[in-house]
């Protein structure tokens, strides 16, 4: 009985071990089968995308972390088969914080999501001709990148693709149509970059379309001119109704001027009808207080400069004609009546009173008082003297007029 018992335990143990062996063998075979499409060449791991097309993508290699400068070939061999490298896979170089430079082959068409995420020392990323898309977060926090070159084939840049790349100073784009930028706000493709100083160079004649494109319009300096080391950009931004005139040419929102470094510039800042100039910023510093009339004199430009003119709709007013020397504008409450007391100096007589080109002389009272029942923005009042001269308009500050009521009663003093 004892012997039989021992034999029974032996056969049971062998049977159990056999099952365990089969399970382990199955797992091993499954693992080998699962990795059958991955292989390593010169320290780079590739994954087969299509056996029939013989295409591969670069994938993450945790055993041999990517460091230094890396040049990827357009084709690689695995056994007897030659494959073409067509993509940088998702997370391929994720947190490869010792990677400094990657040269991509022209065969690559796509850069996957988080492909270079957190590569803090990556100084140069060659976005080679042929690439049509850059995935979400592809280069997030690549804080050493200073320049980006996008080929004409690139049509899509994913959400937060270059977020936090704070040292970027130049972006060169070869596509005549702006690549589509995904995301918005803190997830914008270029969130966390200094878009007020980055120079975006685009194909000739394409600056306007880039300036108006979603996401690209956030960049201050977009130019279609090739810049030399001795050039600076003067970029124009208009907020509200108005324009900036440079060298007798009207500049509109988004215009960029290429100037020799150190050149002094005079700009004429003009508000639109019924608008006033509130601010003129030069690289975030307001210079409206230093203007001479409507002229802004800029010091010698030694760096790229963004001019932002901010215009606002002005309150209703009446313009009192002041001849060739200008005019006086009085703010009023729109829709309320205004009384004008016209007081010619001794020896002068009123020839004609015009309100918005309408002769209202016959509406004057005996004491030369005119009441305008409804005032509107920009209403013009002209008083013409007997000899044809136009009066000088002013506000009488004597006790008769309470300055708090100036929007209701305006005294016009006539002078030679």
């Amino acid at each position: 009985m004892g012997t039989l018992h021992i034999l029974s335990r032996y056969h049971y143990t062998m049977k159990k071990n056999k099952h365990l062996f089969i399970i382990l063998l199955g797992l091993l075979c499954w693992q080998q089968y699962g990795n059958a499409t991955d292989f390593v060449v010169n320290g780079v791991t590739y994954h087969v995308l299509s056996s029939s097309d013989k295409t591969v993508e670069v994938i993450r290699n945790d055993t041999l972390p990517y460091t230094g400068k890396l040049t990827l070939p357009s084709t690689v061999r695995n056994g007897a088969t030659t494959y073409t490298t067509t993509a940088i896979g998702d997370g391929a170089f994720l947190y490869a914080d010792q990677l400094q430079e990657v040269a991509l082959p022209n065969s690559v068409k796509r850069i996957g999501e988080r492909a270079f995420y957190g590569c803090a020392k990556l100084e140069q990323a060659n976005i080679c001709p042929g690439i049509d898309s850059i995935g979400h977060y592809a280069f997030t926090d690549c804080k050493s990148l200073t320049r980006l070159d996008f080929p004409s084939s690139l049509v899509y840049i994913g959400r937060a693709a270059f977020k936090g790349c704070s040292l970027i100073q130049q972006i060169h784009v070869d596509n005549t149509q702006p690549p589509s930028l995904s995301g918005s706000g803190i997830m914008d493709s270029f969130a966390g970059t200094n878009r007020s100083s980055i120079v975006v160079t685009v194909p000739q004649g394409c600056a306007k379309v880039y300036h108006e494109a979603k996401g690209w319009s956030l960049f201050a300096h977009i130019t279609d001119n090739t810049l030399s080391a001795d050039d600076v950009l003067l970029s124009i931004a208009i907020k509200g109704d108005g324009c900036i005139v440079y060298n007798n040419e009207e500049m509109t929102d988004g215009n960029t001027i290429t100037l020799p470094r150190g050149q002094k510039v005079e700009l004429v800042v003009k508000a639109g009808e019924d608008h006033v100039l509130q601010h003129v910023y030069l690289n975030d510093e307001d210079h409206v207080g230093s203007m001479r009339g409507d002229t802004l004199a800029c010091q010698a430009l030694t760096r790229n400069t963004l001019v932002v003119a901010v215009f606002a709709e002005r309150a209703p007013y009446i313009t009192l004609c002041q001849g060739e020397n200008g005019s006086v504008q009085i703010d009023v409450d729109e829709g309320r009546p205004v009384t004008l007391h016209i007081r010619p100096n001794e020896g002068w007589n009123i020839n004609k009173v015009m309100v918005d080109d309408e002769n209202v002389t016959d509406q004057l009272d005996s004491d030369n008082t005119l009441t305008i029942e409804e005032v509107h923005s920009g209403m013009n009042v002209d008083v013409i003297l007997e000899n044809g001269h136009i009066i000088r308009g002013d506000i009488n500050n004597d006790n008769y007029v309470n300055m708090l009521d100036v929007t209701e009663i305006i005294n016009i003093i006539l002078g030679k």
Side-chain angles (χ1 to χ4, degrees):
M1 290 293 292
T3 304
L4 179 62
H5 178 68
I6 292 173
L7 288 173
S8 297
R9 288 184 61 189
Y10 172 78
H11 285 291
Y12 173 78
T13 302
M14 288 297 294
K15 184 177 181 180
K16 182 179 178 181
N17 288 343
K18 181 179 180 181
H19 289 164
L20 180 60
F21 175 76
I22 292 173
I23 292 172
L24 291 175
L25 181 61
L27 288 173
L28 181 61
C29 292
W30 177 86
Q31 184 180 19
Q32 289 179 341
Y33 175 79
N35 291 333
T37 56
D38 298 347
F39 59 93
V40 178
V41 177
N42 294 329
V44 178
T45 303
Y46 297 89
H47 172 74
V48 177
L49 294 173
S50 172
S51 298
S52 57
D53 294 336
K54 296 181 176 55
T55 57
V56 293
E57 66 177 356
V58 178
I59 63 173
R60 187 173 177 82
N61 186 336
D62 290 317
T63 305
L64 298 170
Y66 300 117
T67 62
K69 298 181 180 180
L70 183 64
T71 300
L72 299 176
S74 58
T75 60
V76 290
R77 288 182 61 85
N78 184 31
T81 306
T82 300
Y83 295 93
T84 300
T85 307
T86 59
I88 306 300
D90 295 348
F93 299 94
L94 181 69
Y95 288 121
D97 55 7
Q98 298 302 311
L99 187 65
Q100 296 178 331
E101 183 179 333
V102 177
L104 305 181
N106 291 346
S107 58
V108 171
K109 307 299 181 186
R110 176 181 62 86
I111 296 177
E113 297 182 12
R114 295 179 172 83
F116 295 92
Y117 190 111
C119 293
K121 292 186 178 181
L122 187 64
E123 298 174 355
Q124 184 174 342
N126 175 27
I127 315 298
C128 57
I131 290 179
D132 57 26
S133 66
I134 297 175
H136 302 317
Y137 310 100
F139 292 89
T140 296
D141 288 340
C142 290
K143 298 181 182 297
S144 296
L145 287 176
T146 58
R147 176 186 171 109
L148 300 173
D149 291 275
F150 295 146
S152 59
S153 57
L154 184 67
V155 296
Y156 177 80
I157 299 176
R159 180 173 60 251
F162 294 93
K163 181 181 178 181
C165 299
S166 55
L167 292 185
I168 293 176
Q169 288 298 308
Q170 298 181 63
I171 299 176
H172 184 92
V173 192
D174 283 338
N175 199 334
T176 56
Q177 293 298 316
S180 174
L181 303 184
S182 180
S184 60
I186 61 173
M187 289 294 108
D188 179 86
S189 300
F190 292 94
T193 62
N194 190 1
R195 280 177 280 205
S196 64
S197 64
I198 294 174
V199 175
V200 180
T201 306
V202 301
Q204 191 69 34
C206 298
K208 181 176 176 59
V209 69
Y210 270 82
H211 180 75
E212 295 174 348
K214 177 181 177 292
W216 294 103
S217 62
L218 299 176
F219 289 93
H221 306 291
I222 300 177
T223 180
D224 54 9
N225 293 324
T226 301
L227 298 179
S228 71
D230 295 326
D231 291 334
V232 294
L233 293 179
L234 180 68
S235 298
I236 306 296
I238 306 291
K239 310 297 181 183
D241 186 4
C243 70
I244 293 176
V245 178
Y246 171 69
N247 274 356
N248 297 320
E249 182 178 351
E250 183 175 314
M251 302 287 109
T252 56
D253 187 42
N255 285 154
T256 300
I257 309 164
T258 303
L259 299 169
R261 189 178 302 275
Q263 180 170 323
K264 294 182 179 180
V265 176
E266 280 198 349
L267 304 174
V268 177
V269 187
K270 295 183 176 182
E273 185 177 2
D274 295 333
H275 283 70
V276 293
L277 176 65
Q278 282 190 326
H279 306 284
V280 179
Y281 296 103
L282 296 182
N283 290 339
D284 299 325
E285 183 178 348
D286 196 352
H287 286 255
V288 71
S290 63
M291 293 180 62
R292 302 190 313 274
D294 58 4
T295 301
L296 174 66
C298 304
Q299 298 300 318
L301 300 182
T302 58
R303 61 188 177 117
N304 296 330
T305 301
L306 173 63
V307 180
V308 182
V310 181
F311 302 95
E313 188 173 359
R314 67 160 299 154
Y317 63 93
I318 289 180
T319 299
L320 307 180
C321 190
Q322 192 177 319
E324 295 180 355
N325 295 325
S327 62
V328 176
Q329 291 183 338
I330 310 299
D331 290 346
V332 296
D333 292 331
E334 193 160 16
R336 294 186 58 184
V338 171
T339 300
L340 306 179
H341 300 267
I342 305 174
R343 298 178 176 178
N345 285 347
E346 184 177 356
W348 290 84
N349 297 308
I350 297 173
N351 176 272
K352 186 186 299 183
V353 178
M354 305 289 294
V355 175
D356 286 345
D357 299 325
E358 179 184 354
N359 191 338
V360 296
T361 310
D362 58 356
Q363 298 178 23
L364 291 174
D365 294 340
S366 57
D367 60 351
N368 293 333
T369 297
L370 174 68
T371 298
I372 302 173
E373 295 297 335
E374 291 189 9
V375 174
H376 61 78
S377 294
M379 177 175 281
N380 289 310
V381 177
D382 297 337
V383 178
I384 302 175
L385 301 183
E386 191 69 31
N387 61 4
H389 289 174
I390 300 178
I391 68 165
R392 180 177 70 251
D394 204 349
I395 302 173
N396 185 2
N397 295 333
D398 62 22
N399 294 331
Y400 179 74
V401 178
N402 183 341
M403 290 303 293
L404 297 178
D405 297 330
V406 74
T407 58
E408 296 181 29
I409 300 176
I410 301 173
N411 292 276
I412 303 176
I413 301 177
L414 305 183
K416 295 181 180 180

